[in-house]
Amino acid sequence: MPDTNIVSLPVKEKPTFKSKMARLGKRIVRDRQLLIIFLPCLLFYLLFRYGPLYGLIIAFKDYSVFRGIVDSPWVGFEYFEKFFNAPEFWQLFRNTFLLGFLTLVFSFPAPILLALLLNEVRISWFKKGVQTASYLPTFLSVVIISSMIIDFLSPTNGIVNNILNSLGFASKYFLIDPDWFRPIYIISEIWTNAGYESIVYLAAIAGISPTLYEAAKVDGASRFKMIFSVTLPSILPTVLIMLILKTGNMITIGYEKVLLLYNTMTYEVADVFSTFVYRKGLLANDYSYGAAVGLFEAFVAMALLLISNYVSKRMGGNGLW
Amino acid sequence: MSKNMTQKWVGTLLSCTMLVTLAAACSSNSNGGNNTVNNNGTTNAGSNAPIASPAAPAVDYGDTGGLTLPLVDKPTEITWMVSSDFNVDNTLVVKELEERTGIKVKFQTVPSSQYKDKLSVTLASGDLPDIFYGLPINDLKEIGQEGGVVAINDYADMLPNFSKLYLEENPWIISSYGDESGKLFSWPVYELNRDVNHGFMYRKDILDANGIQPWTDTDSFYSVLKQLKEIYPDSYPYASKTGVGVFRDWAYGWGVGSYEYPVFYNEGAGEWQLASTTAEHKAQLDFMKKLYNEGLMDPEFITDTADSWSSKMTTDRSFVTWDWIGRLDLFYGQVKDANPSYDLRYGLPVGPTGNIRTLPKVDANFALAVANNKNSEASLKLLDYLTSISGSQLISLGVEGVNFEWDENGKPVYPELADRDVIDIFALSEKYGMWLESTYLRPDKRSVYFNYTEREQEAQDLINSEQRFEALDPVLNFTADEVSEIVDIKTSIQTAAEEFNTKYVLDASYGDVQWNEWIARTESLGVAKLLEIYNAAQARYDAAQ
Amino acid sequence: MVGQRKFGLFDLFNTIVLALVACATIIPLIYIAAISLSDTASVTQGKVWLWPKGLNFNAYSQVLNDIKIPRAYLNTIMYTALGTFINVFMTCLAAYPLSQREFVGRKYWMFLIVITMFLNPGIIPNYLIVKELGMIDTVWALVIPNAIWTFQLIILKSFFEGSSSAIREAAKVDGASDYRILFNIMLPLSKPALASIALFYFIGHWNSYFLPMIYLNTDTLYPLQVVLRQMLVFSEGSGSSAIVEAAALAPQAKKNATIVLAMIPVLLVYPFAQKYFAKGVMLGSEKG
């Protein structure tokens, strides 16, 4: 039939293996300089990040330090089963997930806010001073920070209760109240990390071209508005990357801080995977068990990362790749 | 900022790096030689002057318990991994040991805070030191069964001191610390512990000032606290820094204490039971609850930090506590400038038994082991020498006339350390290499370690005069499978017990109903299985006696 | 071009909030410093708050007089300088190719790199590899195995991406090699990013204590943090019956002195790095 009006589209040829390889070859040649530059990094990751990964098989073996990783016998998923069947498993899962999620939600905006505010400061010494002060807590060890928190919150003579008393409220024993564990943990995380993490955002803001601000001013934007129309959108890529990375890290909660801040009265909300493994380790060294839990956490973390990366790209933002 | 600046910056950094790299290379070269771990015991014939070894020693080194010195035919080097914050390479002890035994001991000193991790990586990398300690006993047994470390009792015929002290006089250690086939892989330590190391203590100056007699039993303990509260209404007379450990520490007074807490051996019933569900434990909890409710016990006892507790105990906000015995003098030393009349003294045990825990005379939990290699025999003989009177005196006293003299009380005095404020085992260890952890296999009782201060001596006398000691529970020996099962169940039960104990004391509404619920809960957590394992091990222990 | 903006309500609010932030972070440190300068009795009794009581420098003199300290300081400075340089260098080399959208295999590289952030096989396998390479007990064990932190790599890469790839196109048209583009164009443009990752690496090296303890055996190689911690354990003593004299220091004073001593050098570095975060020209002000 005559279909002269229809333009026949070129039939797409299915790419053959050969043509794919040829294309790849071309790209390699084109990017050869980049590849050479990239080589040291590649070697590094191979040797120092992928090399040790064989150690993960500890989770599937009955590992003894003496016999070594290779010679310890295989036990398959035995340790994983033990872990999933532990009576505490669901409580631990809920606690770990909630603590991680809430920490992310509340502590993520803090460094961004701090960077935005710092950026608006005119007086150089004040800006430098506050910046320096804000990241000092990262130099304190977890032990010291926890000690301070416990002292501040003491029901008999802690600062917080002293202030409450002077305002007419009764003293409250915060540390044993399960409802207060998460807020205390989260606030201390913000205090410790906000300044340190704001450095990244400050660097991002420093890279914003001034002409954007000029243009906005010409349009009559107030300073406040400029933050929303210029600064924030410009640092959005950085924000998204950090968000994706932190979402991935959400459930890998270290044991030290929780261990120091929790107590028997708050176990039911505070006990997380890592503290559980730690307590087990006190009775007997069980590397395999710890490795199994670690692998499980890693798996969940990777899943979270993949999901958040995908969501970010779907919503039009950038992703990690 | 221009290209020039960047280039200059990069240039400076590069030159710094080169300098730094050079420095690093130099330092690593000069250290390269010293740190190969000699697990094959290569002799350092080049660096040591050969010792005139085969001849009999001209000097009398004291009672070696039957060993002939020197211990080896040719110069031997042995590596011994210890936790220490100083380097002890050229100290008196190392030199003396070499002279007497022919063995040059290379102590691989590791900072104490990282000892466990360092040991793990060292073992994992295949470099077993000739002598080492610190592994959990069950891990050590596994290694022994695979031939990584030697079974000490296999070599008993060349170890006279070991044979006499342990095989003859204390044969129970084989059934307690050895494996199922009766092989012992860890070298025991003899009589390291003092009689009294922890207990209740009180402010004698405060009690005296108010005409209060120190307590003699549980009821009078309560009454003392009550009187203190009346006089000092803003205080909480009893304070604690051990957090959840308070339940375990007090347990001996109620007869349910044990190093396996919350499991304990009930001598009367002849079986292992769970302390946390016994009537005695409930009585202990009820007593604590009473103290708490009447404001006699610090309400934040479960979270108090050491610093905060110190501050309470030294500012008249608390007067009674439970702690390590050294605190009696430590607090005094710290606050005497501000309060010269501060006087913390040891008090009698609290609880119906009126007893404290017994500290074992012989302890192999150090897990001191000898690697199975060319140097095994030499290492074993060295350990045997350190178990002899002669060797142990070297480690715990020194060399008479060389670094110490006897004073008129028969105690050693160290003239070279006269300018130090504190002459304790750390000072001796730093200066002379004495008292290194795990080398003191049979400390001499005259050593400074056993120097009691007046307060400490008072404590020892108080308890010893009436032999107020709870019987020591048998040390049980578990198979690897049993250990694995125990860990699972015990962790759950222990956590649940801690939670329950705390809630019972802190929550006024907790009473008999909750107690019965708790007992039911332990059953669902597997307590029956746990006790079954313990009692089976006990049966094996009894049979072996 | 534009004159000074007037100090408005927003600025007031801003200043107050930031001042509070600074207080919240500085006050605990003043507390720590005050204790380190106070006498034993007051510290034990908990009477020290923000001002030293019984001012004395005993804690500092005890710490600083230890012969291990100068060497340890030197070691830390060396490790940190060398380590940070290697870190930044390697991270740049890694981030630049990854930042080019058309880089062959980019997605795969990124994926493989990112998942290493979550897979941690523990200290033993890492130790074995470092040992095989003969780096145990040398400075290299401290600066090579951690040469690139994936986190920083991702940050730097995203900064490089922000710099327009049009720049690279233009430079290529001019015949520039990628090496030149990286070193002569990208790096100068990315000062804030470089400064921020350099700072993170710097802090990481300065504070590090666990890895040096594991990888180093010779005590003359120990960095500051390790030596300081050794001192604390020792001074807390345990087990032996000590003959206690007036010079017995409250452990908190000594511990806090070590914290302050470890922090001071870093406090001096930061303002130096900060100038790289300063924006070139901010609307409404002139920057020095």
Side-chain angles (χ1 to χ4, degrees):
Chain A
M1 36 223 91
D3 50 357
T4 46
N5 285 334
I6 302 171
V7 177
S8 52
L9 299 163
V11 176
K12 243 188 164 169
E13 268 202 40
K14 259 210 143 84
T16 63
F17 181 70
K18 249 186 125 177
S19 69
K20 265 185 160 176
M21 283 288 108
R23 236 210 343 251
L24 182 63
K26 265 205 199 150
R27 289 178 75 190
I28 291 179
V29 168
R30 179 197 69 183
D31 286 343
R32 68 188 177 285
Q33 285 180 352
L34 286 177
L35 280 169
I36 294 178
I37 293 178
F38 191 61
L39 196 59
C41 161
L42 196 57
L43 286 172
F44 171 79
Y45 271 89
L46 262 173
L47 194 53
F48 293 106
R49 295 280 175 264
Y50 277 92
L53 283 188
Y54 76 94
L56 289 174
I57 56 178
I58 289 178
F60 300 98
K61 288 189 162 200
D62 180 11
Y63 177 67
S64 112
V65 177
F66 179 69
R67 252 175 306 184
I69 298 176
V70 178
D71 294 327
S72 293
W74 290 97
V75 293
F77 283 91
E78 182 183 306
Y79 286 102
F80 289 91
E81 278 170 24
K82 246 198 197 184
F83 177 51
F84 296 138
N85 287 331
E88 303 92 338
F89 178 76
W90 285 110
Q91 179 177 286
L92 292 174
F93 187 88
R94 187 203 67 200
N95 288 346
T96 312
F97 189 81
L98 273 179
L99 189 63
F101 179 72
L102 290 172
T103 306
L104 178 65
V105 165
F106 288 101
S107 69
F108 186 75
I112 303 174
L113 273 165
L114 183 61
L116 290 173
L117 290 181
L118 274 172
N119 188 47
E120 298 292 323
V121 173
R122 294 289 144 265
I123 309 161
S124 173
W125 63 264
F126 185 62
K127 181 173 176 179
K128 281 197 176 165
V130 176
Q131 250 182 285
T132 311
S134 71
Y135 88 117
L136 289 182
T138 48
F139 290 94
L140 299 177
S141 74
V142 160
V143 175
I144 295 168
I145 295 176
S146 313
S147 271
M148 285 201 291
I149 294 175
I150 296 176
D151 278 341
F152 289 168
L153 293 174
S154 153
T156 50
N157 60 340
I159 277 262
V160 174
N161 277 310
N162 285 346
I163 295 177
L164 281 177
N165 287 339
S166 63
L167 292 174
F169 297 104
S171 287
K172 178 155 173 58
Y173 196 178
F174 294 99
L175 290 164
I176 56 166
D177 187 349
D179 294 332
W180 275 95
F181 175 77
R182 290 187 186 117
I184 292 173
Y185 181 87
I186 294 172
I187 293 176
S188 73
E189 283 288 286
I190 296 178
W191 179 81
T192 311
N193 295 322
Y196 181 81
E197 290 174 4
S198 71
I199 292 176
V200 177
Y201 298 113
L202 282 169
I205 293 176
I208 301 178
S209 157
T211 52
L212 291 172
Y213 288 103
E214 311 273 349
K217 176 125 193 203
V218 164
D219 285 346
S222 71
R223 275 192 36 221
F224 212 62
K225 185 141 190 302
M226 279 200 278
I227 294 180
F228 284 101
S229 64
V230 180
T231 318
L232 273 179
S234 304
I235 63 170
L236 188 64
T238 311
V239 171
L240 280 176
I241 295 285
M242 295 289 278
L243 185 58
I244 295 172
L245 286 175
K246 286 187 155 232
T247 308
N249 270 327
M250 194 167 83
I251 67 152
T252 49
I253 298 178
Y255 76 93
E256 270 187 309
K257 190 161 200 184
V258 177
L259 193 73
L260 291 164
L261 286 177
Y262 79 177
N263 53 70
T264 48
M265 297 293 279
T266 52
Y267 273 174
E268 67 201 44
V269 297
D271 202 14
V272 292
F273 288 140
S274 51
T275 46
F276 175 70
V277 171
Y278 173 81
R279 283 206 309 278
K280 265 194 144 43
L282 289 179
L283 287 182
N285 269 346
D286 202 343
Y287 292 102
S288 295
Y289 196 94
V293 177
L295 205 52
F296 170 72
E297 279 187 343
F299 186 73
V300 176
M302 281 198 276
L304 285 170
L305 182 90
L306 289 171
I307 293 174
S308 58
N309 194 48
Y310 176 75
V311 168
S312 170
K313 293 186 80 170
R314 271 308 288 256
M315 306 216 338
N318 52 316
L320 283 177
W321 54 77
Chain B
M1 298 294 177
S2 65
K3 229 159 99 161
N4 287 337
M5 270 303 280
T6 320
Q7 279 175 344
K8 218 169 106 176
W9 197 53
V10 171
T12 322
L13 272 172
L14 274 173
S15 6
C16 282
T17 318
M18 285 198 290
L19 276 170
V20 143
T21 319
L22 273 173
C26 289
S27 60
S28 59
N29 275 344
S30 64
N31 282 325
N34 294 350
N35 290 302
T36 49
V37 175
N38 275 332
N39 61 334
N40 289 324
T42 49
T43 60
N44 279 355
S47 47
N48 293 342
I51 304 159
S53 20
V59 187
D60 176 19
Y61 290 119
D63 180 0
T64 62
L67 279 175
T68 35
L69 293 176
L71 301 172
V72 288
D73 298 329
K74 52 187 188 338
T76 311
E77 179 168 304
I78 286 187
T79 50
W80 189 331
M81 191 166 175
V82 294
S83 153
S84 163
D85 292 311
F86 340 96
N87 185 303
V88 295
D89 278 337
N90 291 312
T91 52
L92 177 69
V93 162
V94 173
K95 294 201 191 122
E96 271 295 311
L97 278 176
E98 187 175 358
E99 216 178 280
R100 298 183 188 191
T101 66
I103 298 174
K104 183 172 161 81
V105 184
K106 174 87 182 95
F107 284 111
Q108 297 169 334
T109 51
V110 177
S112 35
S113 42
Q114 244 24 68
Y115 183 79
K116 197 157 160 276
D117 288 305
K118 209 57 183 271
L119 183 64
S120 302
V121 294
T122 309
L123 294 183
S125 62
D127 289 335
L128 280 175
D130 294 320
I131 305 179
F132 65 95
Y133 66 97
L135 279 184
I137 278 260
N138 288 301
D139 288 5
L140 188 64
K141 284 184 206 165
E142 262 190 63
I143 296 183
Q145 282 160 354
E146 285 153 30
V149 294
V150 296
I152 298 169
N153 42 351
D154 282 352
Y155 294 79
D157 39 358
M158 66 167 90
L159 306 172
N161 291 291
F162 173 80
S163 303
K164 173 156 189 301
L165 207 50
Y166 300 118
L167 295 181
E168 267 175 56
E169 293 173 19
N170 292 290
W172 57 269
I173 58 155
I174 307 280
S175 40
S176 285
Y177 295 107
D179 73 350
E180 300 90 81
S181 43
K183 292 194 181 301
L184 182 68
F185 301 105
S186 59
W187 195 288
V189 174
Y190 191 77
E191 290 193 342
L192 171 67
N193 287 312
R194 305 186 272 190
D195 296 318
V196 181
N197 227 3
H198 294 86
F200 286 89
M201 32 191 85
Y202 64 96
R203 288 281 301 279
K204 182 166 191 301
D205 52 324
I206 299 282
L207 261 60
D208 287 348
N210 293 293
I212 306 178
Q213 290 299 315
W215 67 86
T216 51
D217 62 12
T218 321
D219 289 328
S220 53
F221 178 73
Y222 169 72
S223 138
V224 165
L225 294 179
K226 202 119 179 89
Q227 290 174 66
L228 285 168
K229 182 79 177 181
E230 271 158 38
I231 302 171
Y232 303 91
D234 290 334
S235 74
Y236 291 102
Y238 183 85
S240 169
K241 76 162 166 57
T242 50
V244 84
V246 69
F247 300 108
R248 179 200 58 214
D249 297 329
W250 283 34
Y252 292 95
W254 272 261
V256 295
S258 169
Y259 68 91
E260 291 281 336
Y261 193 80
V263 177
F264 81 108
Y265 184 68
N266 187 329
E267 280 83 11
E271 62 168 11
W272 290 82
Q273 298 175 340
L274 184 65
S276 318
T277 44
T278 57
E280 289 83 0
H281 179 71
K282 181 162 190 301
Q284 178 190 333
L285 286 183
D286 282 327
F287 184 67
M288 284 176 155
K289 200 173 163 81
K290 184 160 93 152
L291 295 183
Y292 178 81
N293 288 338
E294 297 184 26
L296 304 176
M297 182 141 117
D298 184 11
E300 48 175 345
F301 74 92
I302 207 77
T303 56
D304 216 8
T305 61
D307 291 347
S308 159
W309 164 84
S310 299
S311 143
K312 288 174 186 156
M313 286 298 297
T314 51
T315 49
D316 298 3
R317 280 176 290 146
S318 294
F319 312 100
V320 180
T321 188
W322 188 100
D323 192 32
W324 162 63
I325 202 175
R327 193 72 58 186
L328 299 172
D329 293 294
L330 206 58
F331 271 165
Y332 174 70
Q334 285 172 339
V335 299
K336 63 186 187 183
D337 289 339
N339 185 359
S341 56
Y342 187 92
D343 195 11
L344 195 64
R345 294 273 165 176
Y346 193 85
L348 284 169
V350 174
T353 65
N355 290 338
I356 63 169
R357 86 177 72 160
T358 309
L359 295 167
K361 257 177 59 161
V362 179
D363 197 345
N365 270 319
F366 259 116
L368 183 62
V370 171
N372 189 1
N373 56 25
K374 279 168 35 177
N375 288 338
S376 305
E377 288 192 13
S379 307
L380 284 168
K381 286 196 195 157
L382 178 65
L383 290 180
D384 199 61
Y385 177 64
L386 293 175
T387 312
S388 71
I389 308 272
S390 159
S392 61
Q393 282 185 349
L394 172 63
I395 292 289
S396 51
L397 295 173
V399 184
E400 188 182 349
V402 173
N403 71 328
F404 81 94
E405 300 291 345
W406 296 110
D407 69 4
E408 60 271 10
N409 295 323
K411 299 275 185 188
V413 165
Y414 299 86
E416 282 168 329
L417 296 178
D419 57 335
R420 298 225 190 176
D421 301 313
V422 176
I423 304 180
D424 59 2
I425 59 174
F426 289 106
L428 293 174
S429 159
E430 188 189 12
K431 179 109 179 128
Y432 301 118
M434 292 163 53
W435 279 100
L436 281 176
E437 194 163 73
S438 81
T439 60
Y440 36 80
L441 299 176
R442 188 185 183 170
D444 191 292
K445 292 292 187 208
R446 296 164 295 181
S447 163
V448 296
Y449 181 72
F450 298 103
N451 272 357
Y452 296 128
T453 63
E454 189 226 324
R455 292 184 174 94
E456 289 175 342
Q457 186 63 53
E458 186 186 58
Q460 313 291 320
D461 295 337
L462 207 56
I463 300 291
N464 272 325
S465 61
E466 288 169 49
Q467 286 299 298
R468 289 168 170 269
F469 294 106
E470 276 291 287
L472 188 59
D473 289 349
V475 177
L476 292 182
N477 189 337
F478 299 106
T479 65
D481 290 329
E482 285 176 334
V483 169
S484 176
E485 273 196 79
I486 289 178
V487 168
D488 285 337
I489 307 178
K490 201 170 177 191
T491 324
S492 302
I493 292 191
Q494 206 164 333
T495 310
E498 288 168 0
E499 274 184 300
F500 176 76
N501 292 343
T502 324
K503 290 204 171 114
Y504 190 87
V505 173
L506 293 183
D507 191 334
S509 68
Y510 266 57
D512 290 343
V513 171
Q514 286 75 20
W515 174 257
N516 292 325
E517 280 171 9
W518 160 242
I519 298 186
R521 174 123 187 264
T522 58
E523 276 154 37
S524 74
L525 286 174
V527 66
K529 184 84 181 77
L530 182 68
L531 293 177
E532 198 186 292
I533 300 177
Y534 269 85
N535 285 314
Q538 178 70 37
R540 295 200 301 267
Y541 177 87
D542 291 332
Q545 296 311 310
Chain C
M1 186 173 82
V2 209
Q4 279 280 31
R5 249 196 344 266
K6 66 181 192 306
F7 194 81
L9 194 60
F10 177 71
D11 291 293
L12 183 65
F13 162 79
N14 198 13
T15 312
I16 294 178
V17 169
L18 288 178
L20 283 174
V21 166
C23 284
T25 48
I26 286 203
I27 285 183
L29 291 163
I30 297 182
Y31 171 65
I32 288 175
I35 287 186
S36 69
L37 293 166
S38 302
D39 67 81
T40 312
S42 302
V43 173
T44 311
Q45 292 180 312
K47 290 194 169 148
V48 181
W49 182 217
L50 289 181
W51 196 253
K53 283 200 161 57
L55 182 65
N56 70 74
F57 292 92
N58 291 343
Y60 289 95
S61 69
Q62 258 204 20
V63 173
L64 291 172
N65 281 336
D66 191 311
I67 45 161
K68 294 190 263 198
I69 289 282
R71 183 79 219 228
Y73 249 112
L74 224 61
N75 285 339
T76 297
I77 293 175
M78 178 172 91
Y79 300 155
T80 305
L82 178 63
T84 306
F85 180 74
I86 292 181
N87 286 137
V88 175
F89 186 69
M90 290 285 286
T91 311
C92 285
L93 288 186
Y96 176 61
L98 289 172
S99 65
Q100 303 308 312
R101 249 162 250 288
E102 286 307 309
F103 180 53
V104 53
R106 183 175 115 123
K107 278 202 177 139
Y108 302 101
W109 299 131
M110 277 310 293
F111 179 73
L112 289 174
I113 286 175
V114 168
I115 59 173
T116 64
M117 278 177 73
F118 304 106
L119 299 169
N120 175 19
I123 184 68
I124 291 179
N126 283 293
Y127 184 87
L128 291 176
I129 290 187
V130 171
K131 177 164 182 276
E132 280 309 301
L133 293 171
M135 295 197 286
I136 297 289
D137 210 26
T138 67
V139 64
W140 305 110
L142 301 183
V143 300
I144 308 258
N146 276 321
I148 304 180
W149 293 10
T150 306
F151 195 82
Q152 317 297 15
L153 170 55
I154 293 176
I155 291 176
L156 191 62
K157 159 186 166 283
S158 92
F159 274 106
F160 279 175
E161 276 170 356
S163 301
S164 156
S165 55
I167 293 182
R168 178 163 179 256
E169 300 300 325
K172 283 241 137 178
V173 165
D174 284 347
S177 72
D178 275 303
Y179 315 109
R180 278 203 60 200
I181 297 176
L182 173 57
F183 287 106
N184 293 353
I185 303 179
M186 293 298 281
L187 289 194
L189 279 183
S190 313
K191 286 217 177 55
L194 288 176
S196 71
I197 65 163
L199 190 64
F200 285 137
Y201 281 130
F202 179 91
I203 294 176
H205 281 291
W206 191 268
N207 281 346
S208 81
Y209 132 84
F210 182 76
L211 287 179
M213 269 222 178
I214 292 288
Y215 288 135
L216 298 175
N217 294 325
T218 316
D219 48 1
T220 46
L221 289 179
Y222 286 152
L224 190 63
Q225 294 286 357
V226 172
V227 169
L228 291 180
R229 251 168 246 239
Q230 271 182 285
M231 272 191 213
L232 295 180
V233 172
F234 171 43
S235 73
E236 265 153 38
S238 65
S240 72
S241 68
I243 305 164
V244 177
E245 294 286 334
L249 268 185
Q252 300 103 292
K254 196 163 180 187
K255 184 166 67 178
N256 291 355
T258 62
I259 295 170
V260 173
L261 286 172
M263 249 202 290
I264 288 180
V266 184
L267 286 175
L268 302 175
V269 165
Y270 190 60
F272 171 75
Q274 264 180 349
K275 66 178 177 200
Y276 294 101
F277 299 145
K279 278 178 65 73
V281 175
M282 252 295 297
L283 186 63
S285 80
E286 66 290 318
K287 274 271 174 206

